[in-house]
Amino acid sequence: MPPNLTKPNSGFTSKPSPLCTFVSLIFLLIIGFYTLHYPPGNPKKVLLFQQIFLSSASNSTIASYLRSLTSHPHLAGTKPSLETIHYVKTHFQNLGLETHTVPFQTLLSYPVHASVLMHFGNGTVLNLSLNEMGIPSYPSSGLIQPYHAFSPSGTVHGKVVFANHGREDDYRTLGLMGVNVNGCIVVIRKGGGLSRGAVVKIAEKKGALGVLMYAEGDVSKGSFGSGVERGTVMEGVGDPLTPGWGADEDGERLKLEDKKVLQRFPGIPSLPLPFESAQLILDSLGGPLAPQEWRDSGRSNLSHVGSGLVMVNFTYQGEKKLATIYNVVAVIRGLEEPDRYVLMGNHRDAWTYGAVDPNSGTATLLDIARRYALLMRKGWNPRRTIIFCSWDAEEFGMIGSTEWVEQNLVNLGAKAVAYLNVDCAVQGPGFFAGATPQLDNLILEVTKKVQDQDSEVVATIYEKWKTMNGNNIQRLSGVDSDFAPFLQHAGVPSVDIYYGRDFPVYHTAFDSFNWMINNADPFFWRHVAVAGVWGLLGLHLADDPVLPFDYLSYAKQLQEYKDAYSRVLDGNISLTPLAASIQEFTSAAKQANEETKKLMEQEFTNDLLALKIRALNDGLMLAERGFLDTDGIKGREWFKHLIYGPRSNYESGLEFFPGISDAMAESKNMSQKDGHAAIKHEIWRVARAIQRAAAALKGELV
């Protein structure tokens, strides 16, 4: 860490280091030279603006933003959330940015009452605590009691079974031990890679009456074992009453009892528990001994899986109601291509204080806007339009971003260059990135320009990241954050970046500013690093004459996916259509790269060259849309992307080509002939999507 910095809670230094000051002066002198010798918009001048962006970083400024954003809980749709909306909007306006709020009226879910009672054989009744221990008063703090949004109301009474992570193979293990969960309440511990909604859905299918979930936490990270993880159990994304269109206040809505609406919600109640309360239930279980791998969690004293003599009475009463949410949007108009949009987004709403999730990202976004405004005062104007997006109600199922995407689908389809998402900017150490593959090389190049402050020696993020996991860039198949509607519904190339894999206070009342400064990022240098990468990605995509997309990376990835399926598919199922389409896509990617090189070698700009660059950029921008299919993924038709999207086959390790993965799982319940036909159809659908992407990349009609 730089020696002139102190901990945030004892006061940040507001002064840059001497080296930073010297570098900034040099940059200002150089930019003055280039302003005199080169015309505005010259690529060399653009590079200097990127350097000024990096040199204007301020960890103390980001810390001040985060402190303000996390001064109170701000759950979407509640009165306290209006203060954070005003804070973000005012910040953008004070920077001189064109700013407006976009309201939507959507269905949200709040708790009214919950209780879990243990009934012992001797008549004793124990009322379990459902709130975090160590929180003095929920009402005075503004905290809402832990719950699962969109859980149905109900009271269930029965014996209890521990079902580990609630996966299909966990229930198979219970079955082999002679334990049946039908008519029981299941207790499930976090983990196993399933969403809350998927866990409840599987339990419901097995005949369970209700689900109680707990997270064990990590005692090595502090006394946060009593944290209770809130979250949604709704299936899919967006407002359930307006599937496929924006939730305008006076617009069309489905009825709450509509079949399409009801199928988004589970049929049995669920509730999160503190670890200590879950442990009391687990200690009471009888029945078979738990498998050793179910007991190696480090904290649990689990011995048996159930059921015992103790009965549990579990009540949850919730309220689903229409609430107004607000997205905040700020715009920097592009000078040369104002109709091309680079979108940078983060959600603002939180289950509690939200220091990590999501306001570490919000504070970082606000700082990027501050630095971009500084560049504008120094004469910078982006080539393309930059749009800052502060989403609401993400925690309920990406509702704010989804409604906005649905409302703007035509313009996004024609004009969106890329969407750059950050949710939890800083969870802990270690840089991680997810992206669509054409952005891989850009991410790698940008991380070579930003310093990693976690390194004991001077090193870039790229160098530290390479030693950690080999610069592995993840893919965006999950429905994890606000990139989902952009990529999986609108086909917009997307990025998601963050520091730290997991954190023990996720969705709990302990996700506070104090936890951030004592655990995740005491000096806020990881925030500065994320801002550096995020902001430089935005500058490149907004300013580079030719979009920095490399579809050869995509072609290579598609080939690897095809090879993975060839290893698991029946030999009677041909992948020839897929192989042919990938070959066609590879040829188009090579052609685009050659055209990029040729155009970038031109020394002088003229109208003809500008038109050629525009045509090339159109192909680079629109190719991702080719992977969309109007029919969508079977059973989840809103998700249109056939390469990356959610799959119903939770046990499959193949997180790509979701339609093929699902068809393989469904074929097990069909005749061989019908099963093979279903898989072949999905292979052809993917092949056609890749062909569409190739045609878009070439900019030619077939």
Side-chain angles (χ1 to χ4, degrees):
M1 299 291 180
N4 64 330
L5 285 182
T6 55
K7 289 186 178 181
N9 53 346
S10 60
F12 274 111
T13 177
S14 59
K15 281 183 167 184
S17 67
L19 176 60
C20 183
T21 303
F22 174 75
V23 171
S24 298
L25 288 172
I26 293 297
F27 283 142
L28 290 173
L29 289 172
I30 295 174
I31 198 167
F33 172 83
Y34 278 113
T35 301
L36 291 173
H37 291 81
Y38 293 94
N42 185 275
K44 293 184 179 180
K45 188 177 178 183
V46 170
L47 289 173
L48 290 168
F49 279 126
Q50 292 174 8
Q51 295 295 341
I52 291 176
F53 169 81
L54 289 176
S55 66
S56 61
S58 170
N59 58 338
S60 60
T61 301
I62 298 177
S64 69
Y65 295 154
L66 187 65
R67 186 187 291 275
S68 296
L69 288 162
T70 59
S71 60
H72 54 74
H74 45 282
L75 184 63
T78 64
K79 188 175 180 180
S81 72
L82 297 176
E83 292 184 31
T84 58
I85 295 165
H86 177 73
Y87 182 83
V88 170
K89 181 181 179 181
T90 301
H91 176 82
F92 288 142
Q93 289 175 327
N94 289 343
L95 294 174
L97 303 184
E98 175 189 334
T99 306
H100 57 280
T101 55
V102 184
F104 291 107
Q105 196 169 57
T106 68
L107 187 72
L108 299 184
S109 165
Y110 303 99
V112 176
H113 169 74
S115 65
V116 178
L117 306 176
M118 294 179 65
H119 293 261
F120 295 88
N122 60 4
T124 304
V125 177
L126 178 62
N127 189 356
L128 297 180
S129 172
L130 303 181
N131 295 340
E132 279 101 347
M133 298 178 183
I135 302 297
S137 173
Y138 267 61
S140 63
S141 65
L143 287 166
I144 292 177
Q145 68 182 85
Y147 75 111
H148 285 162
F150 300 109
S151 169
S153 298
T155 295
V156 294
H157 184 80
K159 294 183 177 181
V160 178
V161 172
F162 177 65
N164 197 28
H165 298 306
R167 301 167 300 197
E168 290 280 359
D169 64 340
D170 292 324
Y171 288 102
R172 281 194 290 269
T173 300
L174 287 173
L176 292 173
M177 291 189 290
V179 178
N180 188 349
V181 303
N182 187 53
C184 296
I185 296 169
V186 294
V187 174
I188 298 199
R189 61 171 173 151
K190 177 188 174 183
L194 296 182
S195 67
R196 286 175 220 88
V199 167
V200 179
K201 184 177 180 180
I202 294 173
E204 181 182 357
K205 185 175 69 173
K206 303 298 179 183
L209 299 176
V211 178
L212 298 172
M213 299 186 195
Y214 71 96
E216 292 177 315
D218 184 350
V219 290
S220 67
K221 299 290 180 67
S223 56
F224 303 104
S226 300
V228 186
E229 182 185 307
R230 299 143 178 87
T232 183
V233 290
M234 182 177 70
E235 191 172 290
V237 300
D239 176 31
L241 302 184
T242 59
W245 63 92
D248 293 328
E249 184 176 5
D250 299 321
E252 178 190 10
R253 276 180 179 76
L254 301 180
K255 299 294 184 181
L256 187 57
E257 60 272 16
D258 190 289
K259 183 179 178 181
K260 289 183 179 178
V261 177
L262 293 176
Q263 67 185 14
R264 297 279 299 274
F265 311 138
I268 59 174
S270 64
L271 194 69
L273 288 181
F275 172 76
E276 289 76 7
S277 294
Q279 189 66 61
L280 288 172
I281 296 176
L282 297 178
D283 287 344
S284 73
L285 297 182
L289 288 172
Q292 188 60 45
E293 59 270 21
W294 291 17
R295 291 188 268 169
D296 288 341
S297 61
R299 294 196 64 204
S300 175
N301 296 319
L302 175 74
S303 297
H304 300 270
V305 296
S307 57
L309 297 177
V310 174
M311 303 289 286
V312 167
N313 187 288
F314 159 34
T315 296
Y316 172 75
Q317 182 182 353
E319 178 185 23
K320 298 182 182 74
K321 65 179 183 179
L322 286 177
T324 302
I325 63 172
Y326 298 88
N327 296 330
V328 181
V329 178
V331 181
I332 302 176
R333 296 286 173 185
L335 190 62
E336 297 168 82
E337 298 182 74
D339 62 336
R340 293 293 180 261
Y341 307 145
V342 176
L343 302 115
M344 306 176 70
N346 158 267
H347 78 92
R348 182 187 61 253
D349 65 298
W351 289 112
T352 62
Y353 300 98
V356 174
D357 183 9
N359 297 129
S360 60
T362 310
T364 304
L365 185 69
L366 297 184
D367 192 60
I368 291 172
R370 175 190 68 83
R371 291 199 251 171
Y372 281 5
L374 173 65
L375 295 185
M376 293 172 70
R377 292 196 295 271
K378 294 183 180 296
W380 170 76
N381 286 105
R383 179 187 185 96
R384 304 178 186 92
T385 295
I386 296 172
I387 302 177
F388 296 108
C389 308
S390 174
W391 309 118
D392 206 350
E394 186 270 358
E395 297 292 6
F396 287 87
M398 277 62 76
I399 291 179
S401 58
T402 297
E403 298 311 302
W404 192 81
V405 167
E406 290 175 340
Q407 190 178 61
N408 294 282
L409 190 59
V410 173
N411 275 324
L412 289 172
K415 302 175 181 180
V417 171
Y419 173 66
L420 309 178
N421 187 70
V422 170
D423 193 323
C424 307
V426 180
Q427 305 176 59
F431 179 78
F432 294 88
T436 45
Q438 74 274 56
L439 287 158
D440 286 357
N441 290 343
L442 176 62
I443 293 171
L444 295 176
E445 289 305 311
V446 162
T447 56
K448 292 176 181 177
K449 300 176 183 178
V450 181
Q451 187 174 350
D452 184 284
Q453 295 290 341
D454 286 343
S455 300
E456 295 181 0
V457 296
V458 176
T460 63
I461 289 177
Y462 174 88
E463 292 166 332
K464 182 68 177 289
W465 183 21
K466 187 174 183 179
T467 62
M468 183 179 68
N469 66 5
N471 302 126
N472 178 52
I473 297 176
Q474 303 155 19
R475 298 301 168 217
L476 304 178
S477 289
V479 188
D480 305 318
S481 190
D482 291 302
F483 59 77
F486 283 92
L487 173 62
Q488 298 164 6
H489 188 68
V492 178
S494 297
V495 171
D496 187 47
I497 60 173
Y498 51 100
Y499 253 77
R501 172 66 74 179
D502 295 302
F503 61 109
V505 297
Y506 174 70
H507 285 190
T508 75
F510 297 109
D511 183 9
S512 65
F513 185 82
N514 282 339
W515 190 86
M516 176 64 73
I517 63 176
N518 289 318
N519 296 275
D521 196 11
F523 298 96
F524 279 76
W525 283 118
R526 290 170 184 159
H527 284 76
V528 169
V530 171
V533 174
W534 197 5
L536 282 186
L537 288 172
L539 290 177
H540 274 285
L541 290 164
D543 283 334
D544 287 8
V546 176
L547 293 175
F549 291 169
D550 183 359
Y551 279 94
L552 279 176
S553 294
Y554 222 130
K556 180 182 177 183
Q557 193 78 86
L558 292 172
Q559 182 64 43
E560 291 175 359
Y561 296 162
K562 192 271 294 181
D563 292 343
Y565 273 94
S566 69
R567 291 191 289 269
V568 297
L569 276 172
D570 188 311
N572 294 319
I573 299 175
S574 173
L575 288 170
T576 300
L578 206 51
S581 65
I582 293 171
Q583 186 175 359
E584 183 179 343
F585 184 84
T586 303
S587 176
K590 289 179 180 177
Q591 182 179 319
N593 281 6
E594 290 168 2
E595 181 70 6
T596 296
K597 183 178 179 182
K598 178 179 159 186
L599 294 178
M600 292 303 294
E601 287 174 350
Q602 303 294 314
E603 293 186 9
F604 301 100
T605 302
N606 55 46
D607 290 344
L608 179 59
L609 179 61
L611 287 172
K612 287 182 177 180
I613 290 176
R614 175 78 169 191
L616 173 61
N617 282 340
D618 282 351
L620 293 169
M621 181 182 70
L622 296 174
E624 190 74 48
R625 317 294 198 260
F627 297 124
L628 303 179
D629 186 279
T630 54
D631 291 337
I633 302 171
K634 183 180 177 183
R636 295 172 307 289
E637 287 75 13
W638 186 90
F639 295 95
K640 306 295 185 184
H641 206 287
L642 298 190
I643 313 301
Y644 300 115
R647 64 197 193 283
S648 62
N649 182 16
Y650 303 119
E651 295 184 301
S652 171
L654 302 170
E655 297 183 351
F656 36 83
F657 302 164
I660 302 177
S661 175
D662 288 352
M664 290 170 59
E666 292 167 6
S667 69
K668 297 175 182 177
N669 300 318
M670 303 177 181
S671 67
Q672 186 181 67
K673 179 182 177 181
D674 290 344
H676 282 186
I679 296 170
K680 289 175 182 178
H681 175 62
E682 291 298 331
I683 290 171
W684 274 109
R685 289 183 71 208
V686 174
R688 288 191 290 269
I690 295 172
Q691 287 175 328
R692 288 193 297 271
L697 189 53
K698 288 186 288 187
E700 299 174 356
L701 297 175
V702 177

